Amino acid sequence: MTLRKNLWQLKKRLTSRPDKAETPSQAHVLYHAVGDPDQHGGMQTNLHLVSQACFHAQLRTLKDQGYSFLSIDEAVALPPKPGQKVCTVTFDDGYRSVQEIAVPVLEELQIPATFYITTSLMEGQPLWRDKVRKVIDQGWEAEFLDTYAQQHGPMLKEGENFYRHSKAPGTPSKQVDEALDTFLAGKGITLASSALYLTPDELKESPLLTYGNHTHRHYTLASLSEQEQAEDIQAAENKLKSWGITPSRVFAAPFGNDGTYNEATFGVLKDLGYVGLASCGGKTVRNATFEKRFGLTLTNRFLAANEPALW
Ligand SMILES: [Zn+2]
Protein backbone atom coordinates (compact mmCIF):
# COMPACT_ATOMS: atom_id res chain seq x y z
CA MET A 1 0.00 0.00 0.00
CA THR A 2 1.39 3.37 -0.93
CA LEU A 3 1.96 6.13 1.57
CA ARG A 4 -0.42 8.25 -0.44
CA LYS A 5 -3.15 5.65 -0.06
CA ASN A 6 -2.40 5.27 3.66
CA LEU A 7 -2.76 9.00 4.19
CA TRP A 8 -5.94 9.06 2.18
CA GLN A 9 -7.40 6.27 4.33
CA LEU A 10 -6.38 8.00 7.53
CA LYS A 11 -7.96 11.25 6.33
CA LYS A 12 -11.12 9.41 5.37
CA ARG A 13 -11.33 7.77 8.81
CA LEU A 14 -10.85 11.09 10.56
CA THR A 15 -13.35 13.01 8.43
CA SER A 16 -15.97 10.26 8.57
CA ARG A 17 -15.87 10.28 12.36
CA PRO A 18 -19.12 11.91 13.49
CA ASP A 19 -18.48 15.51 14.34
CA LYS A 20 -20.41 17.59 16.85
CA ALA A 21 -23.01 18.62 14.31
CA GLU A 22 -23.72 15.00 13.47
CA THR A 23 -24.17 13.74 17.00
CA PRO A 24 -24.91 16.77 19.15
CA SER A 25 -24.63 16.36 22.90
CA GLN A 26 -28.11 17.85 23.26
CA ALA A 27 -30.71 16.53 20.81
CA HIS A 28 -34.13 18.05 21.32
CA VAL A 29 -36.33 16.47 18.70
CA LEU A 30 -39.68 17.91 17.63
CA TYR A 31 -42.45 16.00 15.86
CA HIS A 32 -46.00 16.89 14.89
CA ALA A 33 -48.07 14.01 13.45
CA VAL A 34 -46.85 10.41 13.11
CA GLY A 35 -48.26 7.83 10.67
CA ASP A 36 -49.47 7.61 7.09
CA PRO A 37 -50.95 10.30 4.81
CA ASP A 38 -54.31 8.45 4.56
CA GLN A 39 -54.73 8.74 8.33
CA HIS A 40 -54.14 12.51 8.09
CA GLY A 41 -56.55 13.65 5.43
CA GLY A 42 -53.95 13.48 2.69
CA MET A 43 -51.29 15.46 4.61
CA GLN A 44 -48.01 14.41 3.01
CA THR A 45 -45.13 12.86 4.92
CA ASN A 46 -42.56 15.59 5.45
CA LEU A 47 -41.50 17.70 8.42
CA HIS A 48 -45.02 17.61 9.91
CA LEU A 49 -45.84 13.97 9.30
CA VAL A 50 -43.26 11.28 9.97
CA SER A 51 -44.07 7.63 9.25
CA GLN A 52 -44.08 5.16 12.13
CA ALA A 53 -41.15 3.28 10.52
CA CYS A 54 -39.00 6.45 10.35
CA PHE A 55 -40.03 7.49 13.85
CA HIS A 56 -39.04 4.09 15.22
CA ALA A 57 -35.75 4.05 13.28
CA GLN A 58 -34.78 7.56 14.44
CA LEU A 59 -35.35 6.81 18.13
CA ARG A 60 -33.73 3.38 17.91
CA THR A 61 -30.63 5.00 16.36
CA LEU A 62 -30.46 7.64 19.10
CA LYS A 63 -30.63 4.87 21.71
CA ASP A 64 -27.85 2.99 19.92
CA GLN A 65 -25.77 6.19 19.82
CA GLY A 66 -25.93 6.32 23.62
CA TYR A 67 -28.34 9.18 24.21
CA SER A 68 -30.07 9.40 27.59
CA PHE A 69 -33.74 10.24 27.12
CA LEU A 70 -35.17 12.78 29.53
CA SER A 71 -38.43 14.70 29.70
CA ILE A 72 -37.91 18.30 28.62
CA ASP A 73 -38.47 19.45 32.22
CA GLU A 74 -35.74 17.10 33.45
CA ALA A 75 -33.39 18.24 30.69
CA VAL A 76 -33.89 21.91 31.60
CA ALA A 77 -33.56 21.24 35.34
CA LEU A 78 -30.43 19.06 35.17
CA PRO A 79 -27.28 20.33 33.53
CA PRO A 80 -25.84 17.44 31.48
CA LYS A 81 -22.86 15.60 32.97
CA PRO A 82 -19.62 15.92 30.98
CA GLY A 83 -19.76 13.63 27.98
CA GLN A 84 -23.44 12.85 28.51
CA LYS A 85 -25.59 12.87 25.40
CA VAL A 86 -29.14 13.97 26.18
CA CYS A 87 -32.23 13.66 24.03
CA THR A 88 -35.76 14.97 24.55
CA VAL A 89 -38.76 14.06 22.42
CA THR A 90 -41.66 16.48 22.02
CA PHE A 91 -44.78 16.59 19.84
CA ASP A 92 -46.52 19.86 19.02
CA ASP A 93 -50.18 20.67 18.43
CA GLY A 94 -51.87 17.50 19.83
CA TYR A 95 -52.42 15.14 16.90
CA ARG A 96 -54.42 12.00 17.71
CA SER A 97 -51.97 9.91 15.68
CA VAL A 98 -49.26 10.61 18.22
CA GLN A 99 -51.30 8.78 20.83
CA GLU A 100 -52.19 5.93 18.49
CA ILE A 101 -49.01 5.46 16.49
CA ALA A 102 -46.10 7.10 18.33
CA VAL A 103 -46.94 6.10 21.93
CA PRO A 104 -46.61 2.32 21.28
CA VAL A 105 -43.09 3.02 19.96
CA LEU A 106 -42.25 5.19 22.98
CA GLU A 107 -43.50 2.39 25.25
CA GLU A 108 -41.50 -0.26 23.42
CA LEU A 109 -38.30 1.78 23.66
CA GLN A 110 -39.19 3.25 27.10
CA ILE A 111 -38.67 6.84 25.95
CA PRO A 112 -40.39 9.74 27.72
CA ALA A 113 -42.07 12.47 25.69
CA THR A 114 -44.03 15.70 26.07
CA PHE A 115 -47.13 16.55 24.05
CA TYR A 116 -47.50 20.29 23.52
CA ILE A 117 -51.19 20.97 23.21
CA THR A 118 -52.95 23.81 21.39
CA THR A 119 -56.00 23.73 23.64
CA SER A 120 -58.58 25.32 21.29
CA LEU A 121 -57.95 22.50 18.80
CA MET A 122 -58.68 19.95 21.50
CA GLU A 123 -61.99 21.64 22.10
CA GLY A 124 -62.86 21.16 18.44
CA GLN A 125 -62.23 24.71 17.23
CA PRO A 126 -60.56 25.06 13.83
CA LEU A 127 -56.97 26.23 13.60
CA TRP A 128 -56.80 29.77 12.20
CA ARG A 129 -54.29 28.62 9.59
CA ASP A 130 -57.03 26.32 8.21
CA LYS A 131 -59.23 29.41 7.75
CA VAL A 132 -56.43 31.04 5.75
CA ARG A 133 -56.17 27.87 3.62
CA LYS A 134 -59.95 27.83 3.13
CA VAL A 135 -59.97 31.42 1.83
CA ILE A 136 -57.14 30.58 -0.58
CA ASP A 137 -58.73 27.30 -1.74
CA GLN A 138 -62.04 29.04 -2.46
CA GLY A 139 -60.32 31.73 -4.53
CA TRP A 140 -61.39 34.46 -2.07
CA GLU A 141 -57.93 35.75 -1.25
CA ALA A 142 -58.24 39.13 -3.06
CA GLU A 143 -61.73 39.71 -1.66
CA PHE A 144 -60.64 38.91 1.87
CA LEU A 145 -57.56 41.12 1.61
CA ASP A 146 -59.73 44.02 0.36
CA THR A 147 -62.14 43.62 3.26
CA TYR A 148 -59.23 43.42 5.69
CA ALA A 149 -57.56 46.50 4.19
CA GLN A 150 -60.74 48.55 4.55
CA GLN A 151 -60.79 47.87 8.30
CA HIS A 152 -57.15 47.65 9.25
CA GLY A 153 -55.08 48.87 6.33
CA PRO A 154 -53.28 46.64 3.83
CA MET A 155 -51.88 43.36 5.16
CA LEU A 156 -49.46 42.71 2.31
CA LYS A 157 -46.85 44.75 0.53
CA GLU A 158 -46.23 44.25 -3.18
CA GLY A 159 -45.10 40.69 -3.89
CA GLU A 160 -45.79 39.29 -0.40
CA ASN A 161 -47.46 35.91 -0.19
CA PHE A 162 -50.74 35.83 1.78
CA TYR A 163 -50.30 32.37 3.27
CA ARG A 164 -46.78 33.02 4.52
CA HIS A 165 -47.18 36.67 5.43
CA SER A 166 -50.39 36.14 7.43
CA LYS A 167 -48.33 34.35 10.09
CA ALA A 168 -45.42 36.80 10.06
CA PRO A 169 -44.62 38.56 13.34
CA GLY A 170 -45.60 41.92 11.83
CA THR A 171 -49.12 40.74 10.98
CA PRO A 172 -51.43 40.63 14.00
CA SER A 173 -52.59 36.99 14.13
CA LYS A 174 -55.52 37.62 16.45
CA GLN A 175 -56.85 40.42 14.28
CA VAL A 176 -56.43 38.31 11.14
CA ASP A 177 -58.23 35.39 12.80
CA GLU A 178 -61.15 37.60 13.83
CA ALA A 179 -61.36 39.12 10.33
CA LEU A 180 -61.35 35.58 8.87
CA ASP A 181 -64.23 34.58 11.17
CA THR A 182 -66.32 37.57 10.06
CA PHE A 183 -65.46 37.04 6.40
CA LEU A 184 -66.21 33.29 6.41
CA ALA A 185 -69.44 33.84 8.38
CA GLY A 186 -70.48 36.30 5.65
CA LYS A 187 -69.95 33.48 3.16
CA GLY A 188 -72.08 31.17 5.28
CA ILE A 189 -69.10 29.00 6.15
CA THR A 190 -68.29 27.53 9.54
CA LEU A 191 -65.20 25.38 9.47
CA ALA A 192 -65.74 21.93 10.93
CA SER A 193 -63.48 20.90 13.75
CA SER A 194 -60.63 18.71 12.63
CA ALA A 195 -60.76 15.06 13.62
CA LEU A 196 -56.97 15.00 13.52
CA TYR A 197 -56.58 16.36 17.05
CA LEU A 198 -57.02 14.63 20.38
CA THR A 199 -59.92 15.47 22.65
CA PRO A 200 -59.35 16.07 26.40
CA ASP A 201 -60.80 12.68 27.41
CA GLU A 202 -58.36 10.90 25.10
CA LEU A 203 -55.26 12.13 26.94
CA LYS A 204 -53.49 9.09 28.25
CA GLU A 205 -51.95 8.83 31.67
CA SER A 206 -48.55 7.20 31.48
CA PRO A 207 -45.32 7.56 33.43
CA LEU A 208 -43.65 8.26 30.08
CA LEU A 209 -45.94 11.13 29.03
CA THR A 210 -46.16 14.74 30.09
CA TYR A 211 -48.22 17.53 28.60
CA GLY A 212 -47.38 21.13 27.95
CA ASN A 213 -48.70 24.52 26.90
CA HIS A 214 -48.62 25.41 23.19
CA THR A 215 -51.07 28.33 23.70
CA HIS A 216 -54.83 28.25 23.26
CA ARG A 217 -54.99 29.50 19.67
CA HIS A 218 -51.56 29.05 18.11
CA TYR A 219 -51.10 32.72 17.21
CA THR A 220 -47.71 34.15 16.33
CA LEU A 221 -46.96 35.49 19.80
CA ALA A 222 -44.68 38.31 18.66
CA SER A 223 -47.62 39.73 16.66
CA LEU A 224 -49.68 40.15 19.84
CA SER A 225 -49.52 42.71 22.63
CA GLU A 226 -48.07 41.52 25.94
CA GLN A 227 -51.62 41.41 27.35
CA GLU A 228 -52.87 39.29 24.45
CA GLN A 229 -49.91 36.92 24.80
CA ALA A 230 -50.61 36.55 28.51
CA GLU A 231 -54.29 35.81 27.80
CA ASP A 232 -53.55 33.13 25.20
CA ILE A 233 -50.87 31.41 27.29
CA GLN A 234 -52.94 31.61 30.49
CA ALA A 235 -56.05 30.31 28.68
CA ALA A 236 -54.15 27.17 27.61
CA GLU A 237 -52.74 26.71 31.11
CA ASN A 238 -56.23 26.96 32.62
CA LYS A 239 -57.68 24.48 30.11
CA LEU A 240 -54.92 21.94 30.73
CA LYS A 241 -55.41 22.19 34.48
CA SER A 242 -59.19 21.84 34.10
CA TRP A 243 -58.51 18.54 32.26
CA GLY A 244 -56.51 17.28 35.22
CA ILE A 245 -53.09 17.97 33.73
CA THR A 246 -50.15 19.53 35.49
CA PRO A 247 -48.52 21.33 32.56
CA SER A 248 -44.81 21.12 31.87
CA ARG A 249 -42.91 24.19 33.14
CA VAL A 250 -41.31 24.49 29.71
CA PHE A 251 -43.54 26.30 27.22
CA ALA A 252 -43.47 25.56 23.47
CA ALA A 253 -43.82 28.66 21.28
CA PRO A 254 -46.21 28.31 18.30
CA PHE A 255 -44.25 28.16 15.03
CA GLY A 256 -41.23 28.65 17.28
CA ASN A 257 -38.69 30.02 14.85
CA ASP A 258 -36.77 33.24 15.34
CA GLY A 259 -38.99 36.28 15.62
CA THR A 260 -42.20 34.41 16.43
CA TYR A 261 -41.76 35.13 20.16
CA ASN A 262 -40.21 38.15 21.81
CA GLU A 263 -39.14 39.76 25.05
CA ALA A 264 -42.77 40.12 26.17
CA THR A 265 -43.19 36.33 25.78
CA PHE A 266 -40.33 35.75 28.24
CA GLY A 267 -41.88 38.24 30.67
CA VAL A 268 -45.29 36.56 30.52
CA LEU A 269 -43.77 33.10 30.98
CA LYS A 270 -41.71 34.27 33.93
CA ASP A 271 -44.83 35.73 35.58
CA LEU A 272 -46.68 32.45 35.05
CA GLY A 273 -43.90 30.42 36.67
CA TYR A 274 -42.40 28.83 33.57
CA VAL A 275 -38.71 27.92 33.59
CA GLY A 276 -38.10 27.52 29.88
CA LEU A 277 -39.18 28.20 26.34
CA ALA A 278 -38.87 25.53 23.63
CA SER A 279 -38.29 27.01 20.20
CA CYS A 280 -37.87 25.33 16.85
CA GLY A 281 -35.59 25.83 13.90
CA GLY A 282 -32.05 24.68 13.42
CA LYS A 283 -30.60 28.13 13.02
CA THR A 284 -32.45 29.81 15.87
CA VAL A 285 -30.18 32.31 17.53
CA ARG A 286 -30.13 31.79 21.25
CA ASN A 287 -31.28 34.98 22.81
CA ALA A 288 -28.89 35.10 25.72
CA THR A 289 -30.11 38.53 26.81
CA PHE A 290 -33.68 37.37 27.38
CA GLU A 291 -32.58 34.07 28.90
CA LYS A 292 -30.36 35.85 31.36
CA ARG A 293 -32.72 38.70 32.19
CA PHE A 294 -35.71 36.45 32.78
CA GLY A 295 -33.81 33.40 34.05
CA LEU A 296 -35.53 31.13 31.53
CA THR A 297 -33.81 28.40 29.55
CA LEU A 298 -34.27 28.45 25.80
CA THR A 299 -34.31 24.96 24.28
CA ASN A 300 -33.90 24.91 20.53
CA ARG A 301 -35.66 21.89 19.06
CA PHE A 302 -34.77 20.07 15.89
CA LEU A 303 -37.68 19.37 13.51
CA ALA A 304 -37.44 15.72 12.46
CA ALA A 305 -37.95 14.91 8.79
CA ASN A 306 -39.51 11.77 7.34
CA GLU A 307 -36.20 9.98 6.96
CA PRO A 308 -34.80 6.95 8.80
CA ALA A 309 -31.91 8.95 10.27
CA LEU A 310 -32.08 12.33 11.99
CA TRP A 311 -28.61 13.39 10.87
ZN1 LIG B 1 -47.53 24.25 16.67
Side-chain angles (χ1 to χ4, degrees), residues 30 32 48 92-94 116 118 121 127 214 218 252-256 301:
L30 166 61
H32 288 84
H48 284 85
D92 279 7
D93 301 347
Y116 280 106
T118 302
L121 302 181
L127 178 66
H214 195 43
H218 211 284
F255 307 108
R301 296 176 297 166

Side-chain angles (χ1 to χ4, degrees), residues 23-289:
T23 55
S25 61
Q26 297 265 319
H28 304 289
V29 192
L30 166 61
Y31 296 93
H32 288 84
V34 180
D36 299 324
D38 60 3
Q39 297 160 310
H40 292 86
M43 186 176 167
Q44 292 306 301
T45 41
N46 60 15
L47 293 171
H48 284 85
L49 176 61
V50 171
S51 73
Q52 189 187 39
C54 286
F55 179 69
H56 190 282
Q58 290 171 357
L59 295 188
R60 179 79 257 171
T61 305
L62 290 171
K63 274 214 134 171
D64 294 345
Q65 288 174 341
Y67 281 90
S68 307
F69 288 87
L70 302 176
S71 74
I72 196 160
D73 287 82
E74 288 166 338
V76 165
L78 303 169
K81 297 179 199 116
Q84 188 189 18
K85 293 202 286 190
V86 168
C87 179
T88 66
V89 177
T90 54
F91 300 88
D92 279 7
D93 301 347
Y95 284 95
R96 173 170 293 118
S97 61
V98 171
Q99 193 93 281
E100 292 170 353
I101 298 161
V103 169
V105 175
L106 297 170
E107 283 171 343
E108 180 200 322
L109 300 174
Q110 285 296 296
I111 290 173
T114 304
F115 289 12
Y116 280 106
I117 305 289
T118 302
T119 48
S120 67
L121 302 181
M122 271 206 155
E123 292 186 315
Q125 294 171 37
L127 178 66
W128 71 281
R129 302 304 298 158
D130 289 338
K131 299 174 200 173
V132 173
R133 275 187 280 271
K134 184 76 184 173
V135 164
I136 295 170
D137 292 348
Q138 295 288 329
W140 295 332
E141 183 180 327
E143 191 184 341
F144 171 72
L145 288 169
D146 270 354
T147 317
Y148 184 90
Q150 281 163 25
Q151 283 186 302
H152 308 291
M155 183 192 299
L156 307 182
K157 289 194 203 83
E158 187 70 30
E160 279 176 341
N161 171 282
F162 171 48
Y163 184 74
R164 254 200 322 273
H165 193 77
S166 55
K167 63 176 179 180
T171 311
S173 304
K174 187 167 187 275
Q175 187 171 286
V176 173
D177 186 22
E178 286 162 3
L180 285 163
D181 279 343
T182 311
F183 180 83
L184 288 171
K187 296 283 187 189
I189 287 189
T190 314
L191 248 64
S193 66
S194 170
L196 295 180
Y197 301 106
L198 288 159
T199 56
D201 54 351
E202 288 173 321
L203 295 176
K204 231 176 153 175
E205 258 188 69
S206 157
L208 291 174
L209 303 180
T210 45
Y211 296 93
N213 186 336
H214 195 43
T215 74
H216 188 52
R217 294 205 180 268
H218 211 284
Y219 292 143
T220 304
L221 289 172
S223 80
L224 308 181
S225 68
E226 184 163 357
Q227 174 69 22
E228 288 169 336
Q229 291 194 41
E231 282 166 11
D232 208 42
I233 295 169
Q234 180 78 68
E237 169 123 359
N238 293 347
K239 293 283 177 192
L240 290 168
K241 285 180 177 163
S242 76
W243 299 332
I245 290 163
T246 305
S248 159
R249 287 298 86 198
V250 181
F251 167 84
F255 307 108
N257 47 318
D258 259 355
T260 57
Y261 52 90
N262 59 15
E263 184 176 355
T265 316
F266 281 84
V268 167
L269 293 174
K270 179 81 186 165
D271 288 348
L272 292 175
Y274 283 85
V275 301
L277 181 150
S279 62
C280 165
K283 291 197 168 68
T284 297
V285 176
R286 289 173 61 84
N287 198 318
T289 326

